[in-house]
Amino acid sequence: MRTLNVGLIGTGNIAPAYIEGCAPFDVIKLTACADILADRAREFAAEHGLAAYSVDDLLARDDIDIVVNLTIPAVHAEVSLQIIEAGKHAYSEKPLAIDRADGEKVIQAAAAAGLRMGCAPDTFLGGGLQTARKAIDDGLIGQPIAATAFFMAHGPESWHPNAGIFYLEGAGPLFDMGPYYLTALVNLMGPVARVSSSAQISFPERIATSEALMGQALPVEVNTHIAGALEFEIGAIATVITSFDIWGHNLPNIEIHGTEGSLSVPDPNRFDGAVSTLKGGAREWNDVPLTHSTNIGRGAGVADMAYAIQSGRPHRASGQLAFHVLDIMCALEESAAQGRHIEIKSVLEQPPALPAGLADGMLDA
């Protein structure tokens, strides 16, 4: 299997994680980067042994097979379309787009061009969440009937150097952190059929306390507390909260409850973490031994797509999965605004589980 060359568009906060996360996979090699800030691209390239180009020049290169889109959410769809139009396979940071119409354009463009579209998060490929998936598939807790998922914090203004973008359209806790939780739930229990929710903007502005933005007022355009109910096609119901308004809590990240027991699932923003189960009638939780490697990071989804491009199999962190998650997030916002259930119209097959026992740096048996 040959190595596919990968270029990055966007060299901001998340880019170093892709440098580290792609490195263990022989099927891909990061070779180039671009950024609208040319100096930043050159500095990043020098630090990581890449070639720096303008966006147009990177997309024009014949020796780049996959381009990873690490731009801001508001232009994810626009940049992904540029990548596809240039004849490259595209992989985007989450979310796929900030509305359904743009998400559909990206999916349709890739399909029409015969190219792959992938999208973060790929954390569900990590050892923690894949162990949880295997436990459910093996019937360890019986048939899933309920779930809970909680992301609750007090926003990124205390630490992020560009925190203002998290309170603008296409961000907020739902679109920023929701993809991790919703992708994990869909990976574990399959597609969602309909949703309902309530939401609010709790504070009309935030005051930054990070070193870069100390004292700046950050206007808030999006809901910062969203409480939703998800009804899955298998019949399970999940309670999901995403919030930038909570100072602290003692709630779990994710729990799946079945007819024969309950499963504690690790933080879906990580590739590792402990998995434990409480069998029906028992009083104590017991650890589930990890069945998959935790020596994996951001970029695993890119590598999985590279394997799939060459073998012809579906890739797991797919554009279709990301669009289903986008559809759910848009529906949660619509439900809160309209005060009614919203049907999820996107069609999705549950992503295939990773085989257990794979060696590090491998994603196929």
Side-chain angles (χ1 to χ4, degrees), residues 9 13 33 47 65 90 108 130 137 146 179 212 260 292 297 323 338:
I9 296 180
N13 249 26
C33 67
E47 182 178 356
D65 304 290
Q108 291 169 359
Q130 284 295 315
D137 289 353
E260 297 177 20
H292 294 70
F323 182 76
Q338 299 173 22

Side-chain angles (χ1 to χ4, degrees), residues 2 26 32 42 44 68 89 100 113 152 162 195 211 235 254:
R2 74 182 182 92
D26 292 338
R42 284 191 289 268
F44 187 85
V68 178
H89 302 286
R100 290 190 192 89
M152 297 192 293
N162 191 22
V195 309
E211 183 178 351
I254 295 176

Side-chain angles (χ1 to χ4, degrees), residues 150-300:
F150 301 110
F151 169 77
M152 297 192 293
H154 213 268
E157 61 267 27
S158 65
W159 59 272
H160 199 282
N162 191 22
I165 64 172
F166 291 92
Y167 296 103
L168 304 180
E169 183 183 4
L174 180 58
F175 275 70
D176 178 50
M177 294 301 296
Y180 296 107
Y181 289 78
L182 297 175
T183 301
L185 289 172
V186 170
N187 170 62
L188 294 172
M189 299 194 298
V192 173
R194 72 172 186 169
V195 309
S196 59
S197 74
S198 296
Q200 66 184 21
I201 297 175
S202 301
F203 307 98
E205 70 176 16
R206 301 294 181 112
I207 304 300
T209 56
S210 65
E211 183 178 351
L213 301 175
M214 179 63 72
Q216 288 190 29
L218 309 176
V220 179
E221 297 179 355
V222 294
N223 289 316
T224 53
H225 187 95
I226 302 95
L230 279 56
E231 300 177 27
F232 287 76
E233 289 184 4
I234 62 169
I237 298 173
T239 300
V240 178
I241 296 177
T242 63
S243 182
F244 280 164
D245 300 339
I246 306 300
W247 290 108
H249 66 90
N250 293 311
L251 295 167
N253 291 292
I254 295 176
E255 289 181 348
I256 311 295
H257 304 284
T259 54
E260 297 177 20
S262 296
L263 188 72
S264 177
V265 180
D267 183 350
N269 192 21
R270 297 179 59 89
F271 291 85
D272 56 6
V275 180
S276 59
T277 186
L278 180 74
K279 296 295 287 183
R283 294 187 177 184
E284 294 184 357
W285 292 82
N286 292 305
D287 289 341
V288 177
L290 294 181
T291 54
H292 294 70
S293 174
T294 60
N295 188 22
I296 192 171
R298 282 173 170 81

